[in-house]
Amino acid sequence: MSLPAILQDRLSLPVVCSPLFIISNPDLVIAQCKAGVVGSFPALNARPGPVLNDWLDRITTELAEHDAKHPDRPAAPFAVNQIVHKSNDRLDHDLELCVRYKVPIVITSLGARTEVNDAVHSYGGIVLHDIINNTFARKAIEKGADGLIAVATGAGGHAGVLSPFALLHEIREWFDGPLLLSGAIASGDGILAALAAGADLAYVGSAFIAAEEANAQAAYKQMIVDSNASDIVYSNLFTGVHGNYLRQSIVNAGLDPAALPESDPSKMNFGSGSVKAWKDIWGAGQGVGAIKRVVPAADLVRRFAEEYALARRRLGLAPQTAHTSGARAADLA
């Protein structure tokens, strides 16, 4: 299959950077896109609501200026994440701004709504919906999503519990559209493995928490560098939805990671006035062991590219300089 036109000839690596709550900001998104990977941010990171207009204006302006100066290596498109859960009282406002600025890619989470997809399609944008199982995947496509983000076990944020191999296989039995894989991908080897397993693009998040441009406390970035997979705790206490968090941040909050109570999922609240009682509980995926230092986002992408090229050579695959088709690794030998 081919990637949507929005992604054709625009990627230096088959990577979409996931929207990181609080952490993803215009500095990070612009750096990611200029490095040739899709940068993204949650609309709710722009607070209060009117700030979203400022962010979208800056991102679109700076990326257009980059493209004008570098027609031989245009920036990758960017994406905005919309929480579709009913508690998000900003959704209509934020979606209207996405339409106004013709945001190329909208990532939807925690619900699938036809009217959201229709709004994005009205100007030629595409919708990628994140899911944790095959049932939710089918519902998302039925309601008009263009592609899927398979959030497998080990992913940062609101992760699933299924093996990436099982999840991708079940989806590929019926869906041949754009499919991304999320789950502890923090190296070029992992990016290539995602393609070999059946994905078209890798969805990378936690590695960018330690990027210099990221809006994360220095202590948070250092904890990413100091942690490994065994330091990740899976719990639904903090948002009502199960997710992965850094063990030491839970300990620092005075809690026992081995004895966390269960939360009531009905109490989920993603509204603009919601109180973030757990703001110092820091999320991360199991891939943090691959992050050894804090670096600019461009350097991280460069490291991924070097590892990716080396992995291809190790498997006897031909060199690849641009990602235009979304063809999986098995098709590229």
Side-chain angles (χ1 to χ4, degrees):
M1 64 148 294
S2 296
L3 289 175
I6 288 172
L7 292 167
Q8 292 281 343
D9 302 309
R10 301 298 290 264
L11 303 182
S12 62
L13 277 174
V15 168
V16 172
C17 303
S18 67
L20 303 168
F21 179 62
I22 298 178
I23 293 161
S24 297
N25 59 6
D27 288 343
L28 181 58
V29 170
I30 291 168
Q32 291 167 331
C33 292
K34 287 182 177 180
V37 295
V38 175
S40 71
F41 70 94
L44 291 173
N45 277 9
R47 292 177 181 260
V51 173
L52 181 58
N53 183 80
D54 299 335
W55 283 23
L56 290 174
D57 180 68
R58 181 187 166 196
I59 291 170
T60 55
T61 298
E62 291 196 25
L63 293 183
E65 291 174 349
H66 171 89
D67 291 353
K69 293 178 180 177
H70 306 283
D72 57 325
R73 49 180 181 88
F78 74 99
V80 174
N81 174 221
Q82 298 287 2
I83 300 296
V84 187
H85 190 265
K86 61 184 179 181
S87 67
N88 181 11
D89 54 9
R90 269 184 47 176
L91 179 60
D92 290 343
H93 167 272
D94 293 350
L95 184 60
E96 181 182 341
L97 283 175
C98 285
V99 173
R100 183 186 308 171
Y101 280 92
K102 298 182 178 180
V103 172
I105 304 167
V106 171
I107 297 168
T108 51
S109 305
L110 296 175
R113 286 171 53 176
T114 302
E115 63 272 24
V116 173
N117 299 332
D118 289 345
V120 177
H121 293 156
S122 71
Y123 61 84
I126 64 170
V127 177
L128 303 175
H129 188 74
D130 67 19
I131 54 87
I132 60 171
N133 59 46
N134 199 27
T135 299
F136 289 152
R138 288 183 180 275
K139 289 181 179 179
I141 297 303
E142 289 170 359
K143 293 189 177 183
D146 301 284
L148 299 167
I149 302 167
V151 185
T153 186
H158 296 134
V161 297
L162 296 179
S163 159
F165 302 110
L167 184 54
L168 288 179
H169 177 79
E170 290 186 2
I171 294 171
R172 279 299 184 209
E173 286 188 325
W174 59 272
F175 182 65
D176 193 40
L179 178 57
L180 288 66
L181 176 63
S182 171
I185 301 173
S187 69
D189 303 72
I191 294 167
L192 184 58
L195 272 62
D200 297 295
L201 299 165
Y203 197 62
V204 181
S206 298
F208 286 98
I209 298 172
E212 288 184 357
E213 298 89 347
N215 181 36
Q217 298 177 37
Y220 189 175
K221 296 181 182 183
Q222 189 59 46
M223 194 177 293
I224 292 287
V225 171
D226 294 339
S227 298
N228 55 44
S230 64
D231 296 312
I232 303 303
V233 176
Y234 191 64
S235 172
N236 75 344
L237 172 62
F238 308 110
T239 67
V241 182
H242 274 95
N244 282 315
Y245 301 91
L246 289 164
R247 178 182 304 276
Q248 190 58 48
S249 72
I250 297 172
V251 172
N252 292 348
L255 300 172
D256 180 358
L260 295 177
E262 289 285 310
S263 178
D264 179 359
S266 69
K267 298 295 190 285
M268 282 190 293
N269 184 3
F270 295 92
S272 60
S274 62
V275 177
K276 302 302 177 184
W278 305 109
K279 63 183 179 65
D280 292 324
I281 303 295
W282 296 333
Q286 292 177 1
V288 292
I291 307 306
K292 305 301 183 183
R293 59 185 182 275
V294 177
V295 298
D299 287 359
L300 184 57
V301 174
R302 190 174 301 112
R303 191 256 285 176
F304 287 164
E306 292 170 354
E307 294 170 344
Y308 181 79
L310 181 60
R312 290 183 62 83
R313 290 197 299 271
R314 189 169 63 245
L315 295 176
L317 299 176
Q320 192 173 34
T321 57
H323 297 272
T324 61
S325 69
R328 292 174 284 283
D331 304 318
L332 296 172

